[in-house]
């Protein structure tokens, strides 16, 4: 089953589709989902597919479990900021605008060549026509938008922002040739000045940053925002609650995707347990490729390296290893994406290599084989190019076998008592 570049994992994708529908209906806020499977089975691809399907209005934040430890803030603060980035606030406000078709733009340049520009703008609707005086700022805005007679525009009275909606249908025959991107709209009806409802969607984290820094909105572009005081967040939450009661705003629960969730420690897991009970919590999506392993920060083992009490809260989606046919389809799509011509025999050999080694190793070989093909002045990647790359680059199994054979010649390597390779240094300390 292939759809929009995704191959296989039918059951996992159907389960993700159900979750997606529930998210869109706003019925799953504060819930969590775990995508678990062996490496290279498309866990991150499923999460990114969910993000694309949700659209730009639904916040989607992506974190890596290991990323939490590299930030210059506490782990719980990093998770809190991730949570609040994933919760949107849709704010509704009414604003006054001027909307009409441009009849004429007249700009008077100073005789001296310097000084403020002045001008007049004539706008009309189907019922009225008015002339407005223009200052330097409005003239620059009109020139920036390349507004000319016959365009239908809107002007925000509060900010002075000018938006061009398109060309009026009455001017459709002014030119013999029009670009394919030219949009034609009807001349507005009624009054020139109107009240219009404008909707802005911002995240709680953006509101936190704006209110916690002296530079306000510009703080969003300053990079690392540092730790934010809890008192500021409480004030923001209180204000948002007031707006919700007044009908001025609504909460848009988004998605927080944490890849490599097994890298989190017991402190982070305890925080997530409590945070999921918050009335304003996003949908949590975890991904891991670990089996039963030690929970970081403890001496205990757990499924996927996670504590049982958190796992009990999760809906778990399992991804399965790809079949040979699915691997062939994935490699074919990847060749098309990388614009690599490959023969059927070469693709069959590449699929066989993917089955015996890993899909990721086979994907890496596509570009390398293409370069080998170019070097011999070939037009299609052939079996000999794949064999050449296979001899040049080792996969994990062959590399491990090489280490086992020559481990005594490497620095700081030893064979454990159980006969398995263990990597580390006698000089290293835990």
């Amino acid at each position: 089953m292939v759809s929009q570049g995704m191959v296989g994992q039918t059951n996992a994708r159907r389960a993700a589709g159900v979750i997606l529908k529930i998210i869109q209906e706003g019925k799953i806020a504060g819930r969590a989902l775990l995508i678990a499977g062996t490496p290279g089975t498309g866990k991150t691809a499923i999460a990114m597919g969910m993000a694309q399907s949700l659209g730009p209005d639904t916040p989607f934040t992506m974190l890596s479990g290991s990323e939490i430890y590299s930030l210059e803030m506490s782990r719980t603060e990093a998770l809190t900021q991730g949570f609040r980035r994933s919760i949107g606030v849709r704010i509704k406000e009414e604003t006054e605008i001027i909307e009409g078709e441009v009849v004429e733009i007249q700009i008077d340049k100073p005789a001296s060549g310097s000084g403020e520009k002045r001008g007049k703008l004539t706008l009309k609707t189907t019922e009225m026509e008015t002339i407005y005086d223009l200052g330097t700022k409005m003239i620059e805005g009109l020139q920036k938008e390349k507004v000319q007679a016959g365009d239908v525009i809107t002007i925000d009275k509060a900010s002075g922002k000018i938006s061009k909606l398109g060309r009026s249908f009455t001017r459709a025959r002014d030119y013999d040739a029009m670009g394919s991107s030219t949009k034609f709209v009807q001349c507005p009806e009624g009054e020139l000045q109107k009240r219009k409802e404008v909707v802005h969607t911002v995240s709680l984290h953006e509101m936190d940053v704006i209110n916690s820094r002296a530079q306000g909105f510009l703080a969003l572009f300053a990079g690392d925002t540092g730790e934010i005081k809890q008192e500021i967040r409480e004030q923001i939450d209180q204000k948002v609650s007031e707006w919700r009661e007044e009908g001025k705003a609504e909460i848009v629960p988004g998605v927080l995707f944490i890849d490599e969730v097994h890298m989190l420690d017991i402190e982070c897991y305890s925080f997530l347990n409590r945070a999921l009970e918050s009335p304003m919590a996003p949908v949590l999506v975890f991904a891991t490729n670990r089996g039963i392993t030690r929970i970081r920060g403890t001496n205990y083992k757990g499924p996927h390296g996670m504590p049982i009490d958190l796992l009990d809260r999760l809906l778990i989606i399992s991804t399965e290893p790809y079949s040979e046919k699915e691997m062939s389809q994935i490699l074919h799509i990847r060749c098309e994406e990388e614009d690599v011509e490959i023969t059927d025999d070469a693709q069959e050999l590449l699929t066989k290599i993917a089955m015996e080694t890993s899909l990721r190793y086979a994907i890496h070989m596509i570009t390398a084989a293409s370069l080998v093909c170019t070097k011999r002045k070939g037009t299609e990647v052939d079996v000999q190019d794949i064999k050449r790359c296979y001899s040049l680059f080792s996969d994990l199994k062959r590399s491990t076998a090489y280490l086992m054979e020559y481990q005594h010649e490497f620095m700081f390597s030893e064979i454990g008592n159980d006969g398995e390779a263990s990597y580390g240094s006698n000089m290293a300390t835990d």
Side-chain angles (χ1 to χ4, degrees):
M1 178 175 155
V2 184
S3 175
Q4 295 183 341
M6 290 190 69
V7 178
Q9 304 300 345
T10 306
N11 290 335
R13 285 158 58 188
R14 283 174 179 165
V18 172
I19 298 297
L20 190 68
K21 188 68 176 176
I22 299 174
I23 293 171
Q24 290 170 337
E25 293 178 359
K27 296 180 180 179
I28 198 174
R31 306 287 180 86
L33 173 71
L34 173 65
I35 306 175
T38 55
T41 51
K43 297 179 292 296
T44 305
I46 290 173
M48 297 308 294
M50 291 174 66
Q52 188 176 355
S53 300
L54 286 170
D57 290 336
T58 303
F60 185 93
T61 306
M62 187 172 180
L63 284 176
S64 172
S66 55
E67 184 183 335
I68 301 294
Y69 300 93
S70 61
L71 300 173
E72 294 182 358
M73 62 182 76
S74 68
R75 296 189 291 278
T76 52
E77 173 66 18
L79 288 170
T80 301
Q81 290 192 12
F83 261 68
R84 294 179 74 83
R85 279 193 183 97
S86 309
I87 302 170
V89 182
R90 192 174 285 131
I91 303 169
K92 303 172 186 175
E93 60 178 356
E94 282 194 348
T95 182
E96 287 192 359
I97 63 167
I98 299 171
E99 185 178 55
E101 179 186 332
V102 178
V103 178
E104 184 184 10
I105 303 174
Q106 181 183 345
I107 299 174
D108 300 325
K109 295 182 179 179
S112 60
S114 61
E116 290 190 359
K117 295 179 181 178
R118 294 291 176 185
K120 294 183 183 295
L121 172 68
T122 306
L123 290 177
K124 72 170 185 178
T125 65
T126 55
E127 298 178 9
M128 62 184 297
E129 183 173 310
T130 305
I131 300 174
Y132 295 94
D133 292 325
L134 298 176
T136 304
K137 182 181 176 182
M138 290 299 295
I139 291 172
E140 289 176 353
L142 290 168
Q143 290 174 340
K144 182 181 177 182
E145 293 293 325
K146 299 178 181 178
V147 175
Q148 57 184 334
D151 289 339
V152 177
I153 64 171
T154 62
I155 304 172
D156 189 324
K157 289 188 70 176
S159 64
K161 181 182 177 182
I162 299 171
S163 301
K164 186 160 67 171
L165 303 180
R167 293 283 296 172
S168 173
F169 276 111
T170 58
R171 299 295 188 102
R173 297 189 180 184
D174 282 6
Y175 304 100
D176 293 334
M178 289 281 188
S180 59
S181 60
T182 304
K183 180 182 177 183
F184 290 99
V185 294
Q186 295 287 354
C187 180
E189 299 177 353
E191 299 283 333
L192 276 163
Q193 296 190 36
K194 302 171 184 176
R195 295 189 66 84
K196 185 178 181 181
E197 187 180 79
V198 181
V199 179
H200 307 282
T201 302
V202 296
S203 70
L204 285 178
H205 177 68
E206 290 170 340
M207 297 175 72
D208 294 341
V209 172
I210 291 169
N211 287 277
S212 66
R213 298 291 182 268
Q215 59 267 48
F217 178 76
L218 294 176
L220 292 172
F221 305 97
D224 187 11
T225 57
E227 298 205 9
I228 298 171
K229 293 180 181 179
Q230 184 60 29
E231 293 81 5
I232 291 173
R233 289 192 173 120
E234 290 174 356
Q235 292 173 7
I236 297 294
D237 291 345
Q238 184 179 355
K239 191 65 180 176
V240 170
S241 296
E242 291 175 4
W243 288 345
R244 291 175 70 185
E245 290 176 3
E246 295 170 5
K248 294 180 179 178
E250 60 180 288
I251 296 295
V252 184
V255 177
L256 173 59
F257 174 58
I258 303 180
D259 204 358
E260 299 176 342
V261 69
H262 53 268
M263 293 297 294
L264 301 182
D265 61 12
I266 193 65
E267 180 184 344
C268 296
Y269 290 132
S270 299
F271 172 83
L272 291 174
N273 253 328
R274 181 182 62 82
L276 280 170
E277 296 174 354
S278 169
M280 286 200 298
V283 179
L284 278 178
V285 179
F286 301 133
T288 180
N289 56 19
R290 293 297 193 269
I292 297 174
T293 186
R294 186 173 70 87
I295 302 168
R296 190 167 182 171
T298 73
N299 294 321
Y300 299 99
K301 291 184 177 181
H304 312 297
M306 301 173 68
I308 299 294
D309 56 341
L310 179 59
L311 281 169
D312 194 41
R313 293 177 179 268
L314 308 180
L315 292 170
I316 301 176
I317 296 177
S318 297
T319 56
E320 301 171 352
Y322 290 111
S323 66
E324 185 175 352
K325 182 181 178 182
E326 289 169 346
M327 281 197 177
S328 179
Q329 289 176 319
I330 293 170
L331 292 170
H332 178 72
I333 292 171
R334 194 57 184 252
C335 287
E336 288 182 342
E337 286 294 317
E338 297 188 19
D339 199 22
V340 173
E341 295 290 335
I342 186 169
T343 64
D344 293 340
D345 291 340
Q347 184 175 330
E348 187 178 339
L349 177 59
L350 199 60
T351 304
K352 185 179 179 182
I353 291 171
M355 293 294 293
E356 293 178 355
T357 58
S358 71
L359 178 60
R360 286 172 177 167
Y361 174 72
I363 288 173
H364 288 319
M365 287 184 68
I366 293 173
T367 303
S370 176
L371 293 173
V372 171
C373 175
T374 303
K375 188 175 181 181
R376 67 173 177 82
K377 294 182 172 57
T379 56
E380 284 185 315
V381 173
D382 206 347
V383 171
Q384 59 179 323
D385 302 315
I386 301 295
K387 288 182 176 179
R388 176 64 174 161
C389 290
Y390 188 77
S391 66
L392 289 173
F393 305 104
S394 296
D395 59 274
L396 178 61
K397 291 180 181 178
R398 284 185 291 158
S399 179
T400 304
Y402 177 82
L403 288 174
M404 292 291 287
E405 185 177 354
Y406 296 102
Q407 63 85 27
H408 59 280
E409 296 182 17
F410 283 83
M411 293 183 64
F412 309 132
S413 295
E414 59 184 23
I415 297 292
N417 295 329
D418 56 358
E420 294 183 358
S422 60
Y423 307 102
S425 168
N426 293 328
M427 300 172 62
T429 56
D430 189 16

